[in-house]
Amino acid sequence: MEATFSIRNDIPHALMHITMAGFFEPADIALFAAARDRELVALRTRPNEHLTLVDIRAMDIQAADSVAAFRQLLADPRTVSRRIAFVVGRSLAAMQIRRAAHGRDTQYFADIEEAEAWLLSPQPPLRMASRAG
């Protein structure tokens, strides 16, 4: 499936909603990174003070070089979010994002509402019983 993504900012909550689907080639990742950077500026937060919710339930399994590229995006100190929640399905793509986000303050959820509640809570619990496996 062709790569698609959308980014929507919730400025009052300093929250960036990202939805990603399909198979990402290097050019798609570059387009996504540029769009994310533009939206991060539009969010108007101080560096690294924003929250990010990423819905990847419709994302295909990615090539190893794409996983590595996403790992670099997630590790970029200029764009690291305060907290990041991934909404994932039960697939190898979910396992891939766990590898790409290793070492980050991330949680994984099965639905958007639960992910957003975790992000917006003043002191989110380390583990939530119903988070995606």
Side-chain angles (χ1 to χ4, degrees):
M1 175 181 4
E2 183 179 322
T4 62
F5 64 86
S6 65
I7 303 172
R8 178 179 56 84
N9 285 334
D10 176 350
I11 292 173
H13 292 111
L15 175 59
M16 181 180 287
H17 289 260
I18 300 171
T19 302
M20 303 176 84
F23 184 81
F24 282 73
E25 299 282 352
D28 301 313
I29 296 169
L31 287 171
F32 166 75
R36 186 239 9 224
D37 292 349
R38 281 191 307 275
E39 291 300 323
L40 189 53
V41 170
L43 195 56
R44 300 187 306 238
T45 62
R46 292 194 323 239
N48 312 112
E49 288 298 315
H50 65 289
L51 304 167
T52 306
L53 189 155
V54 185
D55 182 350
I56 60 166
R57 290 175 291 180
M59 199 167 191
D60 293 339
I61 296 168
Q62 304 296 306
D65 61 335
S66 294
V67 174
F70 282 121
R71 182 179 299 124
Q72 286 183 323
L73 285 177
L74 286 164
D76 185 342
R78 297 169 298 152
T79 60
V80 168
S81 57
R82 183 165 37 112
R83 268 186 252 146
I84 186 166
F86 288 96
V87 181
V88 298
R90 300 234 181 244
S91 72
L92 289 176
M95 291 172 45
Q96 288 181 319
I97 196 60
R98 288 176 191 273
R99 283 196 302 274
H102 180 73
R104 294 285 318 279
D105 183 12
T106 44
Q107 290 290 315
Y108 303 88
F109 300 88
D111 71 39
I112 289 175
E113 292 78 19
E114 188 178 24
E116 190 169 328
W118 177 79
L119 283 168
L120 296 177
S121 64
Q123 289 193 300
L126 293 176
R127 301 270 185 230
M128 294 185 78
S130 60
R131 80 184 215 295

